[in-house]
Amino acid sequence: MDWIDFKQIQNVELGITPLFVDYLHDFEKVKQYYAVDFRNRKSWKKLLETVLSKQKDRSTLVRVLTEQNKEHHCGIKTLANIDLLGNDNTVAIVTGQQVGICSGPLYTIYKTITAIKLAEQLATQFPDYNFVPVFWVEGEDHDFDEINKFNLINPGGQFEIIEYLWGGKPLEKNPGPVGDLLIDGFIDKFFDDVQSRLQETEFKAQIFASLRGHYRAGSTLGKAFLGLMNQLFEETGLIFLNPANKELKQILKPLFQKEIAAITKTSQMVIERSAELEEHYHAQIKAKALYLFMLHKGGRYLIEAREHDYSLKGTRQFFSKEELNAIVENTPEIISSNVVLRPICQDTILPTLAYVGGPSEIAYFAQLKPVYEFFGVPMPVVYPRASVTIVEEKVKTILEKFQVDFTEVISNLDPVLIRIAEQVSEVKVEALFEGLNRRVKEAVVESRFGIQQIDPTLSGAVDSTLARIEGQINVLKEKTQQAQQRRQDVTVKQVQKVALNIFPNSNFQEREFNVVYYMNKYGPDFVKWLAGEIVIDRFQHQLIEL
C-alpha cells in the first residue's frame, strides 16, 4: 500500500487547491475560516457539548427517518441508530451526495465509508456519547446532466461515457428535483449499453439483475439510488435522510423565513468572506441575493429578488414579499436550499458533529462560517473524506516493470512515454547495421585481392555480390526497425492503458469511475472489502492494490 502526499499532486483543476493543502497540513493558516481543527480531537469535545446543547426536534426526526429507511428495507442496525438519535447524547456524522446513477462516482462510496468509520472511531474515543453515520440524500438538485453518466473503460481499452437519456434525448427544460424524476423505459437501453461495454465475468449477470431491479421504469431516481446504497451498506448502520419531506421542511421554515426577511444579508456575508479568501486562496461559491429555490410547475427554480418583488429565474412567475412569505408559511415543502444554505439546513435538522467532504466541499465551507453564526447553528468539524486510487495487479506490474511513479502519470505522461520508448530501444538499429555494413565491406575488400589473383574477370562479380549483400542487409535492417517499432508501440500502448486506468479522462479515478465497474470484475462484496482497506486518518491519497 502506498500513500501520496497531496502536496505532491496539488492541482487546482483537479480540486487539490492551496486552500485544501493548507487545511490538511497547516491549519493555522486557515483557522479563521473553520470552527474546529479536524485533527484536534480535544476541540471536538467542546463542539460536541455545544451541538448537544442546541434544542432539536428529535421525535420528528426519528419518526421521519424510521419511515424513510424502512421504505428501502434498511438493516436492524440502522433502525437501532435511528432510535439512538432520540437520545440527547447522540450526534450525527454526516456526509451526502447527489443521487448519481448507479451510486455515482467512486468518491460517493469513499465519503460514505469515511463517515461510517469515523463514527466508529468516535464511539470508542468518547464512550459516553453515541455517534451515528447519516447520508444526506441530495435529491432536490435539478441538474440532471450531473447525475446521469456512467464512465468506464471498455474491453477495447477506450474510455467511454454512457448516459441515461430520459425520454431518449437530452433534456431541454428544467426537470425539477432529479430525485423525484420517474425512471422511464429508456433505462433499459442505458443498462444494455453499459452491460455490453463491460467485460464478461462470473458476477455480471447477478450485478446487473440487481441494478435493473433498483432502476426500473416507474420508480424514481431517488428511490433507486437509496435502494442500491442501502444494499451496499445495509450492515453498517448507515442512516439515509431525504430532506424532501413535509415534516422536515416544517423544521426548516424559520430558516427560510429568516433568509427572506434578511434579504441579501447572507449574500453579503458570503461576498465579504470571499473577498477575504481571495487574497490568498480562491472562493468556491458565487454570491446570490437569495439562496432558496422553489418548485413550480414541475421545475425547480432559483428565487431571485427584484426591486419590489421576487421572481423565479427563467420563468414569468412573480411574487410579492407577502405572497412569498405565505408560500413559506403554508407550503415549506416546495422550498429548498442551494449550496450555501444546504449545510445550514442539514445541521438545523440534525445534531451534526462532523461533515465528511471532499476538497471542493472543504473549500466552500471556508465561506460559510459567518452564515452559520448568523443562523445560530454550530458549524461542524469538516472532515476530509478518504481519497483513493485502486491499482489493479496488471496495472501495478506495468508500473513496476517500467519504474513509473503514480505522480508521473497524473502530472505529465509524455516524458514518461519518451523515457520508456528509449528503455525498450537499448539496441540502436542504425549503429548496429552501420557496423555490419562496414565489416562486410572490409571483408570483401580483403578478399578482392585474392580473387583477382585467381581470375581478374571476377572483379565485377565481387562488386555485384557486395551490392546483393548490402541489399539483403538493408532488407534485414528494415525488418529489424519495424520489429523494434512494434515493440515500442506495444509497450507505449501498455503504459497508456495503465495511465487511462488510474487517471481516466485526465482526472482522478475516484471522480470518473463508478463502483459497479469494479463490482463487475471482483464481485458484489467489493465495497465490503474496500471498507476494510481504506484508512481514514492519514489524510493522504491512498493507493489500494487489488
Side-chain angles (χ1 to χ4, degrees):
M1 183 183 296
D2 290 318
W3 298 88
I4 309 295
D5 193 306
F6 283 104
K7 291 178 181 178
Q8 297 177 250
I9 53 177
Q10 185 171 311
N11 185 317
V12 173
E13 292 182 2
L14 298 175
I16 311 302
T17 62
L19 174 61
F20 177 65
V21 171
D22 281 349
Y23 186 78
L24 293 182
H25 298 291
D26 198 352
F27 188 78
E28 281 296 307
K29 288 184 177 179
V30 299
K31 66 180 182 180
Q32 69 268 36
Y33 306 125
Y34 300 94
V36 174
D37 181 352
F38 73 94
R39 290 182 182 270
N40 185 353
R41 290 290 173 91
K42 289 182 180 178
S43 63
W44 288 49
K45 180 67 182 300
K46 183 178 179 181
L47 178 62
L48 177 58
E49 292 170 352
T50 300
V51 169
L52 292 175
S53 71
K54 295 289 183 178
Q55 192 68 33
K56 298 288 181 184
D57 187 353
R58 290 179 180 263
S59 60
T60 297
L61 179 62
V62 168
R63 183 173 65 256
V64 171
L65 289 178
T66 301
E67 292 172 358
Q68 289 187 346
N69 284 265
K70 280 186 174 179
E71 188 175 346
H72 53 259
H73 309 294
C74 66
I76 294 173
K77 190 174 179 180
T78 295
L79 292 176
N81 279 345
I82 292 172
D83 286 342
L84 285 177
L85 276 172
N87 301 337
D88 58 11
N89 68 337
T90 301
V91 292
I93 307 302
V94 185
T95 194
Q97 194 59 39
Q98 294 165 290
V99 291
I101 198 158
C102 299
S103 80
L106 273 166
Y107 63 69
T108 302
I109 302 299
Y110 303 155
K111 290 171 78 172
T112 307
I113 290 171
T114 304
I116 292 166
K117 298 186 87 163
L118 179 58
E120 293 170 350
Q121 283 187 4
L122 292 169
T124 301
Q125 187 169 358
F126 302 106
D128 294 333
Y129 302 90
N130 301 312
F131 303 85
V132 297
V134 179
F135 190 102
W136 180 278
V137 181
E138 192 48 69
E140 293 188 302
D141 191 276
H142 60 271
D143 196 339
F144 180 72
D145 286 340
E146 286 190 0
I147 61 95
N148 71 330
K149 297 173 179 61
F150 189 111
N151 301 348
L152 53 82
I153 297 175
N154 64 29
Q158 291 94 27
F159 179 84
E160 280 197 70
I161 300 174
I162 314 297
E163 292 186 89
Y164 166 46
L165 296 177
W166 191 79
K169 59 183 180 180
L171 286 177
E172 297 178 353
K173 65 176 184 176
N174 188 319
V178 292
D180 294 338
L181 196 65
L182 285 174
I183 299 169
D184 66 6
F186 286 96
I187 196 68
D188 290 330
K189 182 182 185 309
F190 167 77
F191 279 121
D192 288 345
D193 289 344
V194 173
Q195 200 165 349
S196 68
R197 287 165 173 82
L198 290 178
Q199 69 182 67
E200 293 300 324
T201 69
E202 61 184 298
F203 311 110
K204 194 174 189 179
Q206 175 190 351
I207 287 166
F208 277 88
S210 176
L211 288 172
R212 290 174 188 265
H214 292 300
Y215 287 85
R216 62 186 183 278
S219 185
T220 66
L221 287 173
K223 287 181 180 178
F225 176 86
L226 276 166
L228 175 58
M229 287 290 286
N230 179 69
Q231 178 182 322
L232 296 176
F233 293 101
E234 184 177 1
E235 299 172 6
T236 65
L238 180 65
I239 300 167
F240 293 96
L241 187 156
N242 180 359
N245 174 273
K246 189 172 184 177
E247 289 187 83
L248 296 182
K249 290 296 177 72
Q250 286 289 336
I251 295 174
L252 296 176
K253 188 163 67 174
L255 186 153
F256 297 155
Q257 291 168 333
K258 187 170 184 176
E259 170 70 356
I260 294 169
I263 181 70
T264 74
K265 177 69 174 177
T266 307
S267 178
Q268 189 59 37
M269 288 185 288
V270 172
I271 291 171
E272 290 173 0
R273 179 49 58 94
S274 299
E276 184 182 343
L277 268 171
E278 287 175 341
E279 291 181 10
H280 304 287
Y281 301 109
H282 75 291
Q284 189 80 11
I285 303 170
K286 303 303 178 186
K288 301 182 185 299
L290 273 176
Y291 294 103
L292 296 174
F293 287 87
M294 183 186 295
L295 302 182
H296 176 72
K297 294 184 178 180
R300 178 177 180 261
Y301 303 96
L302 181 69
I303 302 173
E304 293 189 309
R306 307 198 316 159
E307 186 175 359
H308 300 295
D309 59 7
Y310 300 85
S311 68
L312 298 185
K313 185 177 182 179
T315 76
R316 295 180 179 273
Q317 187 66 44
F318 306 98
F319 304 97
S320 67
K321 187 171 185 177
E322 292 72 23
E323 289 172 329
L324 183 57
N325 278 321
I327 289 170
V328 173
E329 177 64 33
N330 299 316
T331 55
E333 62 271 17
I334 69 170
I335 305 297
S336 60
S337 59
N338 88 332
V339 65
V340 167
L341 288 187
R342 187 207 61 75
I344 316 298
C345 291
Q346 164 194 289
D347 303 331
T348 298
I349 293 170
L350 290 163
T352 307
L353 177 65
Y355 179 81
V356 173
S360 296
E361 290 171 300
I362 287 171
Y364 78 62
F365 265 97
Q367 294 171 261
L368 300 185
K369 190 177 179 183
V371 183
Y372 270 99
E373 292 168 353
F374 176 69
F375 285 100
V377 178
M379 185 179 185
V381 178
V382 188
Y383 195 86
R385 66 162 170 83
S387 179
V388 174
T389 291
I390 296 166
V391 182
E392 297 177 86
E393 185 175 0
K394 60 184 180 181
V395 170
K396 180 187 174 186
T397 300
I398 297 296
L399 291 176
E400 290 180 345
K401 179 179 179 180
F402 297 107
Q403 297 178 313
V404 179
D405 187 73
F406 174 80
T407 56
E408 291 181 297
V409 175
I410 69 171
S411 57
N412 188 357
L413 190 63
D414 289 341
V416 176
L417 297 178
I418 293 171
R419 186 183 78 216
I420 289 170
E422 291 174 350
Q423 284 178 8
V424 299
S425 304
E426 292 175 354
V427 177
K428 307 303 180 185
V429 175
E430 198 68 41
L432 174 68
F433 280 90
E434 186 178 312
L436 179 58
N437 270 317
R438 185 178 64 252
R439 289 191 295 274
V440 167
K441 283 183 179 179
E442 289 171 352
V444 171
V445 167
E446 289 176 4
S447 304
R448 182 188 294 274
F449 179 76
I451 294 172
Q452 286 179 329
Q453 289 290 98
I454 296 170
D455 185 349
T457 64
L458 293 177
S459 181
V462 171
D463 291 336
S464 61
T465 300
L466 177 59
R468 285 196 299 274
I469 292 172
E470 286 178 333
Q472 290 299 314
I473 288 174
N474 283 332
V475 170
L476 180 60
K477 176 183 173 181
E478 289 177 7
K479 290 182 177 180
T480 303
Q481 287 174 326
Q482 290 169 359
Q484 186 182 61
Q485 185 64 49
R486 285 195 299 272
R487 184 183 176 192
Q488 288 178 342
D489 288 346
V490 168
T491 302
V492 167
K493 285 178 181 177
Q494 279 183 319
V495 176
Q496 287 174 326
K497 190 171 182 179
V498 161
L500 186 62
N501 189 285
I502 63 177
F503 198 58
N505 202 24
S506 299
N507 203 353
F508 286 118
Q509 187 189 83
E510 60 190 21
R511 294 167 63 175
E512 294 289 333
F513 288 156
N514 183 286
V515 71
V516 173
Y517 179 72
Y518 291 97
M519 289 170 63
N520 180 65
K521 290 183 177 182
Y522 301 105
D525 289 334
F526 176 75
V527 172
K528 292 180 183 177
W529 173 84
L530 195 60
E533 296 294 312
I534 285 178
V535 177
I536 69 163
D537 51 10
R538 278 197 59 161
F539 312 113
Q540 294 179 308
H541 188 76
Q542 184 176 357
L543 305 183
I544 295 180
E545 296 174 4
L546 262 172

